[in-house]
Amino acid sequence: MERQQDYVLRTVEERGIRYIQVWFTDVLGIAKAFHITPAELENALAEGMTFDGSAVDGFSRVQESDVLARPDAQTFQILPWRGGDAPVARVFADVTNLDGTPFEGCPRHVLRRALERARDKGFSFYAAPELEYFYFADGDPSATPRTLDSGSYFDLTVNDLASDLRKRTVLTLEDMGIPVEYSQHEDAPSQHEIDLRYTDALTMADNVMTTRMVVKEIAQENGVYATFMPKPLEGRQGSGMHTHFSLFEGDTNAFYDPGDPFGLSKVAKGFIAGVLHHAREITAVTNQWVNSYKRLVVGYEAPVYVSWARNNRSALVRVPVPKKGKTDSTRIEYRAPDPGCNPYLAFAVVLAAGLKGIEEGYDLPPEAAANLYELTVEERMAEGIASLPGSLSEALDAMQPSELVAATLGEHVFEWFIRNKRAEWIDYKVQVTQFELDRYLPTL
Ligand code: GLU
Ligand code: MG
């Protein structure tokens, strides 16, 4: 720890860094920052910086609104897109109470606590998300979205601004120590995807925050707007953040069992069963906006039904078949989350659901055989396949009685989240939309 702090202080001096951004995240996963000069850094690393937490969504408490941001020296990075002669750096902070105890509104703390529970059982938890997003031609987000291309899956086009932006984003991420496994044009026009190489879940939640920032920065520098909104275009695919998860015991992938016909261990099966069992309860966290539920509809490769399968993109949990000899990469892909989620909270609830399945020895339901979108309601009911919540309101109804989610988020975050999201639902519900005017006014 000391050494890491020394390294940070030395780097700041040697690289002539004049400005350091201290990043943290509110309960909804929105990036926040304040800025300090190198003169303040030593003190900030040693003692933290006080700030008024009541100004941050989800941090507010009636009394003692002051909290401390404690920079995590391990996360120090120079921002390659800023600064020129006087580079800018950033560091993530943990938020604590003034007495040094973790602040219960801090999403990093929520995830750390979930990871500690896993560690008590001997597991470390890894995540690898696939972030989908759109580029729109106007730098101004209030303009009507105009796509940059009419491309589709894997298109390789010449002289394509969006592909160039994506390439620069990937190279910037690599410069920042965030390895990218893969990137591609996605199905919808102007829709792209960046898949990050797996790391432990806390590093990955930080990496998701950084990736969202880098994608947006590089777009903005070029007068383009990048968005992680789950469903910006009607009639087109939405943007998901399918995430691959695995548990390790030391160096051993705990999801792999060579003796099983699917190569899946009892731990993996318990984990999948847990995630499926609690899927409806955790969806408000993995899909937290009114707009998230416009994505979770039939026909756009987004999950709608609570099911698992090996190679079926309509399922909620997909188990990718590892490449020959690469059994260490045995993992599950959870396809519900969207890139507008708070990654700290989303990873924490998926982990908690999976661990619960392992602890309680839940039975894994049979693999979904067919394309689930094509099943009739009766067929689905006969197979006992539930649906994900159809709206934010339904998702909150499923979350509210959940002991699992309350224990994972902690009372403060849980209650604030439900209150905030119910208010969002009401703001949405009271609107009279163009759809209603078009459909009802002429006839009613
Ligand atoms: N865009 C789809 C979604 O909303 C996923 C497409 C894919 O399979 O990568 O989840
Ligand atoms: Mg994709």
Side-chain angles (χ1 to χ4, degrees):
M1 188 71 176
E2 291 272 288
R3 266 221 213 116
Q4 189 66 26
Q5 297 193 356
D6 291 345
Y7 162 78
V8 169
L9 293 169
R10 210 171 48 245
T11 309
V12 165
E13 192 168 319
E14 283 169 4
R15 298 292 296 271
I17 290 165
R18 303 269 296 277
Y19 204 61
I20 297 120
Q21 300 184 349
V22 179
W23 287 12
F24 58 99
T25 308
D26 74 9
V27 170
L28 298 178
I30 308 298
K32 303 278 163 186
F34 56 83
H35 306 95
I36 57 175
T37 56
E40 281 296 326
L41 183 62
E42 190 165 355
N43 183 36
L45 287 170
E47 290 169 14
M49 306 280 294
T50 311
F51 71 100
D52 178 8
S54 68
V56 177
D57 260 353
F59 278 22
S60 55
R61 289 186 308 181
V62 182
Q63 291 141 351
E64 291 179 62
S65 63
D66 274 352
V67 288
L68 269 181
R70 312 268 334 224
D72 176 350
Q74 308 268 11
T75 65
F76 176 85
Q77 271 294 339
I78 295 174
L79 301 181
W81 70 88
R82 286 274 172 89
D85 291 344
V88 173
R90 76 97 164 86
V91 64
F92 281 96
D94 288 299
V95 181
T96 71
N97 298 309
L98 294 183
D99 64 6
T101 53
F103 173 59
E104 60 271 34
C106 172
R108 255 182 141 232
H109 169 58
V110 170
L111 180 54
R112 272 188 202 283
R113 191 175 47 203
L115 293 172
E116 268 159 33
R117 284 189 191 142
R119 212 163 296 129
D120 288 345
K121 307 206 164 340
F123 295 124
S124 23
F125 185 50
Y126 290 88
E130 306 176 356
L131 287 109
E132 296 178 337
Y133 62 95
F134 281 83
Y135 289 118
F136 291 129
D138 290 281
D140 173 7
S142 62
T144 309
R146 270 192 305 124
T147 55
L148 292 182
D149 62 54
S150 50
S152 182
Y153 270 131
F154 302 113
D155 273 359
L156 178 65
T157 46
V158 273
N159 210 358
D160 171 0
L161 171 61
S163 299
D164 188 44
L165 294 176
R166 194 182 79 222
K167 181 184 83 196
R168 279 155 58 190
T169 304
V170 168
L171 296 177
T172 305
L173 290 171
E174 296 264 346
D175 281 349
M176 294 182 74
I178 300 181
V180 173
E181 183 149 300
Y182 189 80
S183 78
Q184 66 174 62
H185 197 298
E186 250 300 334
D187 176 69
S190 240
Q191 189 185 28
H192 291 258
E193 170 172 324
I194 294 180
D195 300 355
L196 304 179
R197 183 176 295 278
Y198 79 100
T199 64
D200 69 274
L202 182 63
T203 304
M204 188 51 81
D206 291 342
N207 288 352
V208 168
M209 297 304 296
T210 306
T211 303
R212 293 200 298 219
M213 190 74 81
V214 173
V215 166
K216 280 177 171 287
E217 278 280 342
I218 290 182
Q220 194 180 29
E221 276 172 13
N222 291 277
V224 166
Y225 188 73
T227 180
F228 294 92
M229 180 174 172
K231 183 87 171 188
L233 300 178
E234 191 183 315
R236 294 288 186 175
Q237 282 209 6
S239 290
M241 190 179 87
H242 311 161
T243 305
H244 299 249
F245 292 109
S246 55
L247 288 175
F248 272 68
E249 286 175 294
D251 290 335
T252 310
N253 185 329
F255 278 4
Y256 178 59
D257 177 356
D260 181 74
F262 295 168
L264 290 178
S265 67
K266 196 162 171 259
V267 167
K269 289 178 187 168
F271 193 95
I272 300 170
V275 166
L276 295 179
H277 186 91
H278 295 284
R280 286 179 50 84
E281 295 158 49
I282 64 174
T283 305
V285 178
T286 53
N287 303 77
Q288 61 173 340
W289 309 103
V290 163
N291 183 253
S292 299
Y293 296 85
K294 308 274 161 103
R295 166 178 166 255
L296 299 178
V297 296
V298 167
Y300 296 96
E301 294 190 11
V304 183
Y305 304 117
V306 179
S307 57
W308 77 280
R310 269 167 300 170
N311 251 327
N312 179 339
R313 283 164 196 274
S314 60
L316 173 61
V317 171
R318 192 173 74 93
V319 181
V321 179
K323 281 194 211 129
K324 215 170 168 0
K326 299 265 181 174
T327 47
D328 243 14
S329 65
T330 305
R331 62 200 189 270
I332 69 144
E333 177 190 346
Y334 191 57
R335 293 174 63 86
D338 65 54
C341 70
N342 180 330
Y344 301 95
L345 303 188
F347 295 170
V349 293
V350 171
L351 172 59
L355 282 183
K356 186 86 178 166
I358 297 169
E359 282 161 23
E360 305 286 322
Y362 293 162
D363 280 335
L364 182 63
E367 179 181 8
N371 180 344
L372 295 158
Y373 297 152
E374 286 165 5
L375 296 185
T376 62
V377 180
E378 292 74 22
E379 285 167 335
R380 257 193 300 109
M381 283 172 73
E383 292 199 26
I385 299 175
S387 301
L388 286 176
S391 67
L392 181 59
S393 169
E394 221 184 282
L396 292 167
D397 290 346
M399 172 173 161
Q400 190 130 21
S402 171
E403 281 169 24
L404 179 100
V405 179
T408 307
L409 298 186
E411 202 182 324
H412 175 96
V413 169
F414 183 76
E415 282 175 7
W416 184 90
F417 186 93
I418 295 217
R419 239 189 352 267
N420 177 279
K421 290 287 146 188
R422 293 263 186 227
E424 178 180 340
W425 177 254
I426 291 183
D427 286 348
Y428 173 67
K429 197 176 96 164
V430 295
Q431 292 185 79
V432 177
T433 61
Q434 194 60 44
F435 167 89
E436 290 156 278
L437 293 176
D438 292 346
R439 183 167 280 216
Y440 307 132
L441 206 53
T443 42
L444 300 181

